[in-house]
Amino acid sequence: MTEASSSQHRQAWDLIPWIANGTASESEQRSVDEHLHDCADCREELEFQRRLQRAMARDSAPEADATAGWARLRERLDADEVPSVLAQLAPRRLRRAERTWMPWVVAVMLLQGVGLGVLGTALWSRTSANPTMATAAVGAYRTLSAPQPPLPPATVRAVFAPTMTLAELHAALAGAHLQIVFGPSDADVWSLGPAGDSTRAATEAALRALRTSSNVRFAEPIGGAP
Amino acid sequence: MTPRDDLHDRDLLRRIVARDRHALERLYRAYQPRLLQFLSRLCSQRDALDEAINDTFWTVWRKAEEFRGASRVSTWILGIAWRHALKALRRNGDIAVERLADTGASECQTADTLLNDERDQWLAQGMATLPLEQRATLELAYFVGHSCQEIADIMGCPINTVKARMFQARLKLRNLLPKLEGIENATALRGHQP
């Protein structure tokens, strides 16, 4: 076999699977056809690959239940959509509001600063004169710098519907006496805790209240919660 | 898969980009059976197969806008399915090797059925000797019917790698030729008997 015919043989040999499955180009097909005319090894190999293909083509797949599979995928889509829509909605509205109201917000903040300065001066002069008023003032007001009450432990896990608005979310949480503790998670699940009573009965009542809303796709107690 | 089918699939993908769930359902129902057929050749755990197919269409839903149209939609979807199947196989440590070989012969089977069963067992055992990538290359070429370039796109590797895998797989299976030839000849002879 010359070097040229050896190279042609190797080329044809490599193309044989693609000739067998009918995906070779026309020029590849022509080139292999020419070689097959003079090469018994390649003719035999092509026949073997065709037999192999026929044997592999026998369908022995498990039964496909597309309806059940689609139902599982749809649940996953439902669970994914709602919280991410809510999460995207809030910042977008905020940005739009910032553009419109920012000059006014800055003006109000400046005014508040001046007012707080005046109030602080007046309060200082009055408490210096009467120390008992200082205790009363601390008890009556809570400032932004004061320590926040700790969040309750999460007792309920929930997923909300895609069409749910923020107002509906607030109403659903208020109706179930719940507040957001954390969320949404990577799987877009919200963790909720009691806004008041944290007993088991309160958790069960909250779950019942949540499940009456068509906007709540999924609500379950967190393991170990009261 | 005809060019017309591909145009239809592309239209469905455009609608999926616009968040049309009905289009996703149509694509799912069209592809789920064929993905199951292909992936069941590589993995025998039904749960893992269903999970890989579910993950595939989850990715299609989220990444449909990334389809650039350089390949057929079917090639793009099979590529996603292949990557998810690899993950499932790595998690489960399972490769379908004896699925076909498990078929036992019963008394009511005809001689032709027995020959087919024998051929299936030979094939299953032969395929089980191949590494996963070589096996998938053969399945994509002979069971699904893809070209060399399409298999490279699906498996995310250079075309020369596909050629090398196919070459190695053929070399290993070549040793089983006499058995396959014998069965085929026997079937042919029976077909010529009066």
Side-chain angles (χ1 to χ4, degrees):
Chain A
M1 190 180 281
T2 65
E3 199 173 313
S5 65
S6 170
S7 160
Q8 198 185 22
H9 176 74
R10 176 62 198 259
Q11 214 171 10
W13 184 271
D14 284 346
L15 284 170
I16 279 173
W18 320 110
I19 300 291
N21 81 350
T23 60
S25 69
E26 278 182 33
S27 63
E28 289 170 338
Q29 177 79 55
R30 270 198 306 276
S31 131
V32 173
D33 281 347
E34 281 173 22
H35 178 73
L36 287 177
H37 190 70
D38 301 319
C39 181
D41 285 348
C42 281
R43 283 199 301 274
E44 189 197 342
E45 173 65 7
L46 177 59
E47 187 48 42
F48 171 70
Q49 293 302 321
R50 284 181 168 148
R51 281 198 297 273
L52 180 62
Q53 185 182 19
R54 280 196 295 274
M56 287 179 65
R58 285 187 59 184
D59 182 11
S60 56
E63 191 181 340
D65 186 352
T67 300
W70 167 250
R72 283 193 298 276
L73 182 61
R74 197 180 52 213
E75 278 174 20
R76 191 171 170 183
L77 295 171
D78 286 345
D80 174 66
E81 269 187 9
V82 185
S84 58
V85 165
L86 287 176
Q88 286 167 8
L89 197 62
R92 191 164 59 243
R93 281 183 181 166
L94 193 61
R95 283 196 296 275
R96 198 181 301 138
E98 280 172 355
R99 280 199 300 275
T100 312
W101 295 102
M102 189 53 79
W104 294 102
V105 170
V106 171
V108 168
M109 283 173 70
L110 285 172
L111 197 62
Q112 278 181 330
V114 172
L116 284 171
V118 172
L119 277 171
T121 308
L123 188 63
W124 179 79
S125 60
R126 286 171 67 186
T127 51
S128 299
N130 184 1
T132 55
M133 280 187 69
T135 313
V138 169
Y141 298 101
R142 187 197 293 165
T143 64
L144 289 174
S145 59
Q148 294 293 310
L151 284 170
T155 53
V156 171
R157 218 179 267 122
V159 171
F160 302 108
T163 49
M164 192 177 203
T165 63
L166 280 173
E168 286 169 336
L169 176 64
H170 285 306
L173 291 177
H177 301 293
L178 290 171
Q179 59 180 307
I180 293 169
V181 176
F182 175 77
S185 68
D186 289 344
D188 291 323
V189 176
W190 295 81
S191 299
L192 311 172
D197 195 358
S198 63
T199 61
R200 180 182 294 276
T203 303
E204 285 168 2
L207 282 168
R208 278 196 301 277
L210 276 184
R211 285 167 184 160
T212 58
S213 167
S214 59
N215 283 318
V216 176
R217 290 287 161 88
F218 169 82
E220 67 166 15
I222 293 176
Chain B
M1 174 65 60
T2 66
R4 192 176 168 184
D5 291 332
D6 191 52
L7 282 176
H8 180 253
D9 289 348
R10 282 168 191 255
D11 181 51
L12 290 177
L13 265 192
R14 274 190 290 274
R15 288 166 52 191
I16 289 169
V17 172
R19 316 320 283 157
D20 180 345
R21 275 208 204 180
H22 184 60
L24 181 70
E25 182 179 358
R26 287 179 66 180
L27 201 68
Y28 182 92
R29 288 184 183 279
Y31 277 89
Q32 191 258 9
R34 66 181 92 162
L35 289 185
L36 187 63
Q37 277 187 334
F38 167 56
L39 297 181
S40 67
R41 304 285 185 126
L42 309 175
C43 171
S44 63
Q45 287 187 18
R46 182 58 191 262
D47 286 350
L49 291 176
D50 288 339
E51 186 189 337
I53 293 172
N54 205 298
D55 287 346
T56 299
F57 284 92
W58 177 251
T59 303
V60 168
W61 178 249
R62 293 171 78 99
K63 308 276 185 187
E65 71 275 7
E66 291 178 15
F67 176 71
R68 295 283 171 259
S71 65
R72 288 189 293 176
V73 174
S74 59
T75 307
W76 183 66
I77 291 177
L78 259 173
I80 297 170
W82 164 248
R83 288 191 291 278
H84 283 300
L86 273 184
K87 281 184 201 165
L89 286 167
R90 285 180 190 135
R91 262 199 312 272
N92 294 293
D94 166 66
I95 295 178
V97 289
E98 298 296 335
R99 185 172 50 79
L100 291 174
D102 284 344
T103 54
S106 69
E107 287 178 7
C108 60
Q109 284 176 309
T110 64
D112 283 346
T113 315
L114 285 170
L115 284 170
N116 281 338
D117 285 344
E118 195 180 342
R119 185 179 61 180
D120 286 346
Q121 286 181 36
W122 163 81
L123 188 58
Q125 286 159 10
M127 294 296 278
T129 64
L130 302 179
L132 179 65
E133 283 78 9
Q134 290 177 18
R135 186 183 174 129
T137 302
L138 264 181
E139 295 286 3
L140 285 167
Y142 286 166
F143 181 65
V144 189
H146 279 297
S147 69
C148 191
Q149 179 62 60
E150 286 170 334
I151 295 172
D153 291 342
I154 290 166
M155 300 182 81
C157 63
I159 198 165
N160 281 337
T161 304
V162 177
K163 288 177 181 172
R165 285 172 180 166
M166 179 59 95
F167 182 84
Q168 293 298 329
R170 286 165 65 194
L171 212 58
K172 286 178 188 165
L173 292 180
R174 202 73 173 86
N175 294 331
L176 297 156
L177 171 65
K179 185 137 193 182
L180 181 64
E181 194 169 35
I183 292 166
E184 289 261 336
N185 287 343
T187 310
L189 279 173
R190 291 182 61 80
H192 285 96
Q193 283 174 356

Short mmCIF file of all heavy atoms in Angstrom, two decimals, chain A residues 152-195:
data_model
loop_
_atom_site.label_atom_id
_atom_site.label_comp_id
_atom_site.label_asym_id
_atom_site.label_seq_id
_atom_site.Cartn_x
_atom_site.Cartn_y
_atom_site.Cartn_z
N PRO A 152 -38.27 36.76 66.06
CA PRO A 152 -38.63 35.47 66.61
C PRO A 152 -38.05 34.34 65.75
O PRO A 152 -37.71 34.58 64.59
CB PRO A 152 -40.17 35.47 66.50
CG PRO A 152 -40.44 36.35 65.35
CD PRO A 152 -39.38 37.40 65.36
N PRO A 153 -37.92 33.15 66.28
CA PRO A 153 -37.45 32.04 65.43
C PRO A 153 -38.51 31.72 64.37
O PRO A 153 -39.70 31.86 64.63
CB PRO A 153 -37.30 30.88 66.42
CG PRO A 153 -38.13 31.25 67.60
CD PRO A 153 -38.18 32.74 67.66
N ALA A 154 -38.03 31.32 63.16
CA ALA A 154 -38.99 31.00 62.08
C ALA A 154 -39.77 29.74 62.42
O ALA A 154 -39.19 28.76 62.89
CB ALA A 154 -38.23 30.81 60.77
N THR A 155 -41.07 29.80 62.21
CA THR A 155 -41.92 28.65 62.51
C THR A 155 -42.63 28.11 61.27
O THR A 155 -43.15 27.01 61.29
CB THR A 155 -43.00 29.03 63.54
OG1 THR A 155 -43.70 30.18 63.07
CG2 THR A 155 -42.39 29.32 64.90
N VAL A 156 -42.64 28.92 60.19
CA VAL A 156 -43.38 28.53 58.99
C VAL A 156 -42.52 28.82 57.76
O VAL A 156 -41.82 29.82 57.71
CB VAL A 156 -44.71 29.33 58.88
CG1 VAL A 156 -45.38 29.10 57.54
CG2 VAL A 156 -45.65 28.95 60.01
N ARG A 157 -42.60 27.90 56.78
CA ARG A 157 -41.92 28.07 55.50
C ARG A 157 -43.00 28.23 54.43
O ARG A 157 -43.98 27.46 54.44
CB ARG A 157 -41.12 26.80 55.20
CG ARG A 157 -39.80 27.03 54.55
CD ARG A 157 -39.07 25.75 54.30
NE ARG A 157 -38.15 25.39 55.38
CZ ARG A 157 -38.21 24.26 56.05
NH1 ARG A 157 -39.14 23.37 55.80
NH2 ARG A 157 -37.35 23.99 57.00
N ALA A 158 -42.88 29.23 53.53
CA ALA A 158 -43.97 29.46 52.57
C ALA A 158 -43.43 29.89 51.21
O ALA A 158 -42.34 30.47 51.10
CB ALA A 158 -44.92 30.53 53.10
N VAL A 159 -44.21 29.56 50.17
CA VAL A 159 -43.95 30.02 48.81
C VAL A 159 -45.22 30.71 48.32
O VAL A 159 -46.32 30.19 48.51
CB VAL A 159 -43.60 28.83 47.89
CG1 VAL A 159 -43.53 29.28 46.43
CG2 VAL A 159 -42.28 28.20 48.30
N PHE A 160 -45.08 31.89 47.69
CA PHE A 160 -46.24 32.68 47.29
C PHE A 160 -46.46 32.64 45.77
O PHE A 160 -45.53 32.36 45.01
CB PHE A 160 -46.08 34.12 47.76
CG PHE A 160 -45.90 34.23 49.25
CD1 PHE A 160 -44.68 34.56 49.81
CD2 PHE A 160 -46.96 33.97 50.11
CE1 PHE A 160 -44.51 34.63 51.19
CE2 PHE A 160 -46.80 34.04 51.48
CZ PHE A 160 -45.59 34.38 52.03
N ALA A 161 -47.68 32.97 45.37
CA ALA A 161 -48.07 32.90 43.94
C ALA A 161 -47.43 34.03 43.15
O ALA A 161 -47.12 35.08 43.70
CB ALA A 161 -49.58 32.99 43.82
N PRO A 162 -47.25 33.83 41.83
CA PRO A 162 -46.57 34.85 41.01
C PRO A 162 -47.37 36.15 40.88
O PRO A 162 -46.80 37.20 40.67
CB PRO A 162 -46.40 34.17 39.66
CG PRO A 162 -47.29 32.99 39.65
CD PRO A 162 -47.57 32.63 41.07
N THR A 163 -48.68 36.05 41.02
CA THR A 163 -49.50 37.25 40.81
C THR A 163 -49.69 38.05 42.09
O THR A 163 -50.37 39.08 42.09
CB THR A 163 -50.88 36.82 40.29
OG1 THR A 163 -51.37 35.78 41.14
CG2 THR A 163 -50.80 36.29 38.87
N MET A 164 -49.12 37.60 43.17
CA MET A 164 -49.36 38.25 44.47
C MET A 164 -48.68 39.63 44.53
O MET A 164 -47.50 39.76 44.20
CB MET A 164 -48.79 37.37 45.57
CG MET A 164 -49.23 37.78 46.96
SD MET A 164 -48.56 36.63 48.17
CE MET A 164 -49.70 36.84 49.51
N THR A 165 -49.43 40.64 44.96
CA THR A 165 -48.84 41.98 45.09
C THR A 165 -48.29 42.14 46.50
O THR A 165 -48.58 41.33 47.39
CB THR A 165 -49.91 43.05 44.85
OG1 THR A 165 -50.90 42.91 45.88
CG2 THR A 165 -50.56 42.88 43.49
N LEU A 166 -47.53 43.21 46.70
CA LEU A 166 -46.97 43.45 48.03
C LEU A 166 -48.08 43.68 49.05
O LEU A 166 -48.00 43.22 50.20
CB LEU A 166 -46.05 44.67 47.97
CG LEU A 166 -44.66 44.38 47.41
CD1 LEU A 166 -43.90 45.69 47.23
CD2 LEU A 166 -43.89 43.46 48.32
N ALA A 167 -49.15 44.40 48.62
CA ALA A 167 -50.26 44.67 49.54
C ALA A 167 -50.92 43.37 49.98
O ALA A 167 -51.25 43.18 51.15
CB ALA A 167 -51.28 45.58 48.86
N GLU A 168 -51.07 42.44 49.01
CA GLU A 168 -51.66 41.14 49.35
C GLU A 168 -50.75 40.35 50.28
O GLU A 168 -51.22 39.64 51.17
CB GLU A 168 -51.94 40.35 48.07
CG GLU A 168 -53.13 40.89 47.28
CD GLU A 168 -53.24 40.28 45.89
OE1 GLU A 168 -52.20 39.83 45.36
OE2 GLU A 168 -54.34 40.30 45.33
N LEU A 169 -49.45 40.48 50.06
CA LEU A 169 -48.50 39.78 50.93
C LEU A 169 -48.62 40.31 52.36
O LEU A 169 -48.69 39.53 53.33
CB LEU A 169 -47.07 39.97 50.41
CG LEU A 169 -45.95 39.40 51.27
CD1 LEU A 169 -46.05 37.88 51.36
CD2 LEU A 169 -44.58 39.77 50.73
N HIS A 170 -48.66 41.64 52.50
CA HIS A 170 -48.81 42.23 53.83
C HIS A 170 -50.11 41.78 54.48
O HIS A 170 -50.14 41.43 55.67
CB HIS A 170 -48.81 43.77 53.73
CG HIS A 170 -47.43 44.33 53.48
ND1 HIS A 170 -46.35 44.04 54.26
CD2 HIS A 170 -46.97 45.14 52.51
CE1 HIS A 170 -45.28 44.64 53.80
NE2 HIS A 170 -45.62 45.32 52.72
N ALA A 171 -51.20 41.76 53.69
CA ALA A 171 -52.50 41.37 54.24
C ALA A 171 -52.47 39.91 54.70
O ALA A 171 -52.99 39.57 55.77
CB ALA A 171 -53.59 41.58 53.19
N ALA A 172 -51.85 39.04 53.87
CA ALA A 172 -51.79 37.62 54.22
C ALA A 172 -50.99 37.41 55.51
O ALA A 172 -51.37 36.64 56.40
CB ALA A 172 -51.16 36.82 53.07
N LEU A 173 -49.87 38.14 55.64
CA LEU A 173 -49.03 38.00 56.85
C LEU A 173 -49.78 38.54 58.07
O LEU A 173 -49.75 37.93 59.15
CB LEU A 173 -47.71 38.76 56.66
CG LEU A 173 -46.76 38.16 55.62
CD1 LEU A 173 -45.52 39.04 55.47
CD2 LEU A 173 -46.34 36.75 56.01
N ALA A 174 -50.46 39.69 57.90
CA ALA A 174 -51.19 40.27 59.02
C ALA A 174 -52.32 39.34 59.46
O ALA A 174 -52.54 39.12 60.66
CB ALA A 174 -51.76 41.64 58.63
N GLY A 175 -53.03 38.75 58.47
CA GLY A 175 -54.14 37.85 58.78
C GLY A 175 -53.69 36.61 59.51
O GLY A 175 -54.44 36.01 60.29
N ALA A 176 -52.44 36.18 59.26
CA ALA A 176 -51.92 34.97 59.92
C ALA A 176 -51.07 35.31 61.14
O ALA A 176 -50.51 34.41 61.76
CB ALA A 176 -51.09 34.17 58.91
N HIS A 177 -50.97 36.61 61.47
CA HIS A 177 -50.14 37.07 62.60
C HIS A 177 -48.70 36.57 62.46
O HIS A 177 -48.13 36.01 63.38
CB HIS A 177 -50.74 36.62 63.94
CG HIS A 177 -52.12 37.14 64.16
ND1 HIS A 177 -52.42 38.47 64.34
CD2 HIS A 177 -53.31 36.50 64.17
CE1 HIS A 177 -53.72 38.64 64.47
NE2 HIS A 177 -54.30 37.45 64.36
N LEU A 178 -48.16 36.78 61.26
CA LEU A 178 -46.79 36.34 61.00
C LEU A 178 -45.95 37.52 60.52
O LEU A 178 -46.50 38.54 60.08
CB LEU A 178 -46.78 35.26 59.91
CG LEU A 178 -47.36 33.90 60.30
CD1 LEU A 178 -47.50 33.01 59.07
CD2 LEU A 178 -46.49 33.20 61.35
N GLN A 179 -44.65 37.38 60.62
CA GLN A 179 -43.75 38.38 60.05
C GLN A 179 -42.60 37.66 59.35
O GLN A 179 -42.31 36.50 59.65
CB GLN A 179 -43.22 39.30 61.14
CG GLN A 179 -42.45 38.59 62.24
CD GLN A 179 -41.94 39.55 63.29
OE1 GLN A 179 -41.27 40.52 62.96
NE2 GLN A 179 -42.26 39.29 64.55
N ILE A 180 -41.96 38.39 58.43
CA ILE A 180 -40.86 37.78 57.67
C ILE A 180 -39.61 37.75 58.56
O ILE A 180 -39.20 38.76 59.11
CB ILE A 180 -40.57 38.56 56.38
CG1 ILE A 180 -41.76 38.41 55.43
CG2 ILE A 180 -39.29 38.07 55.71
CD1 ILE A 180 -41.72 39.33 54.23
N VAL A 181 -39.03 36.55 58.68
CA VAL A 181 -37.78 36.40 59.44
C VAL A 181 -36.60 36.35 58.50
O VAL A 181 -35.55 36.93 58.74
CB VAL A 181 -37.84 35.10 60.30
CG1 VAL A 181 -36.51 34.89 61.01
CG2 VAL A 181 -38.99 35.17 61.30
N PHE A 182 -36.80 35.66 57.38
CA PHE A 182 -35.72 35.52 56.40
C PHE A 182 -36.33 35.19 55.04
O PHE A 182 -37.34 34.53 54.96
CB PHE A 182 -34.77 34.39 56.81
CG PHE A 182 -33.71 34.10 55.79
CD1 PHE A 182 -32.60 34.94 55.66
CD2 PHE A 182 -33.82 33.03 54.93
CE1 PHE A 182 -31.64 34.69 54.70
CE2 PHE A 182 -32.86 32.76 53.96
CZ PHE A 182 -31.76 33.60 53.86
N GLY A 183 -35.69 35.67 53.99
CA GLY A 183 -36.14 35.25 52.67
C GLY A 183 -35.96 36.31 51.61
O GLY A 183 -35.66 37.45 51.92
N PRO A 184 -36.09 35.94 50.37
CA PRO A 184 -36.27 34.55 49.95
C PRO A 184 -34.94 33.80 49.93
O PRO A 184 -33.90 34.40 49.72
CB PRO A 184 -36.81 34.68 48.51
CG PRO A 184 -36.22 35.97 48.02
CD PRO A 184 -36.11 36.87 49.22
N SER A 185 -34.99 32.49 50.14
CA SER A 185 -33.79 31.66 50.09
C SER A 185 -33.40 31.45 48.63
O SER A 185 -34.08 31.94 47.73
CB SER A 185 -34.06 30.31 50.74
OG SER A 185 -34.97 29.60 49.93
N ASP A 186 -32.32 30.69 48.39
CA ASP A 186 -31.92 30.39 47.01
C ASP A 186 -33.05 29.70 46.26
O ASP A 186 -33.19 29.84 45.05
CB ASP A 186 -30.68 29.49 47.01
CG ASP A 186 -29.46 30.26 47.46
OD1 ASP A 186 -29.54 31.50 47.47
OD2 ASP A 186 -28.45 29.64 47.82
N ALA A 187 -33.85 28.93 47.00
CA ALA A 187 -34.98 28.23 46.36
C ALA A 187 -36.23 29.10 46.41
O ALA A 187 -37.34 28.63 46.15
CB ALA A 187 -35.24 26.91 47.04
N ASP A 188 -36.06 30.38 46.79
CA ASP A 188 -37.16 31.34 46.85
C ASP A 188 -38.24 30.96 47.84
O ASP A 188 -39.43 31.11 47.58
CB ASP A 188 -37.75 31.56 45.44
CG ASP A 188 -36.77 32.29 44.55
OD1 ASP A 188 -36.08 33.18 45.06
OD2 ASP A 188 -36.69 31.96 43.36
N VAL A 189 -37.82 30.42 48.93
CA VAL A 189 -38.76 30.08 50.00
C VAL A 189 -38.59 31.12 51.11
O VAL A 189 -37.47 31.53 51.44
CB VAL A 189 -38.46 28.67 50.56
CG1 VAL A 189 -39.36 28.37 51.75
CG2 VAL A 189 -38.65 27.62 49.47
N TRP A 190 -39.73 31.58 51.68
CA TRP A 190 -39.70 32.58 52.75
C TRP A 190 -39.83 31.89 54.10
O TRP A 190 -40.63 30.98 54.26
CB TRP A 190 -40.86 33.56 52.57
CG TRP A 190 -40.75 34.37 51.31
CD1 TRP A 190 -41.10 33.98 50.06
CD2 TRP A 190 -40.26 35.70 51.18
NE1 TRP A 190 -40.86 34.98 49.15
CE2 TRP A 190 -40.34 36.06 49.81
CE3 TRP A 190 -39.76 36.64 52.09
CZ2 TRP A 190 -39.93 37.29 49.34
CZ3 TRP A 190 -39.36 37.87 51.60
CH2 TRP A 190 -39.44 38.19 50.23
N SER A 191 -39.04 32.35 55.09
CA SER A 191 -39.17 31.86 56.46
C SER A 191 -39.93 32.91 57.26
O SER A 191 -39.56 34.08 57.26
CB SER A 191 -37.79 31.64 57.07
OG SER A 191 -37.09 30.69 56.31
N LEU A 192 -41.00 32.48 57.94
CA LEU A 192 -41.87 33.39 58.66
C LEU A 192 -41.89 33.03 60.14
O LEU A 192 -41.79 31.85 60.50
CB LEU A 192 -43.29 33.33 58.09
CG LEU A 192 -43.41 33.44 56.56
CD1 LEU A 192 -44.85 33.17 56.11
CD2 LEU A 192 -42.97 34.81 56.09
N GLY A 193 -42.03 34.03 60.99
CA GLY A 193 -42.11 33.79 62.43
C GLY A 193 -43.34 34.47 63.00
O GLY A 193 -43.96 35.32 62.33
N PRO A 194 -43.71 34.13 64.24
CA PRO A 194 -44.93 34.70 64.82
C PRO A 194 -44.77 36.20 65.10
O PRO A 194 -43.72 36.65 65.55
CB PRO A 194 -45.10 33.92 66.12
CG PRO A 194 -43.72 33.43 66.44
CD PRO A 194 -43.03 33.20 65.15
N ALA A 195 -45.84 36.96 64.77
CA ALA A 195 -45.82 38.39 65.10
C ALA A 195 -46.32 38.59 66.53
O ALA A 195 -46.17 39.66 67.10
CB ALA A 195 -46.70 39.14 64.12
#
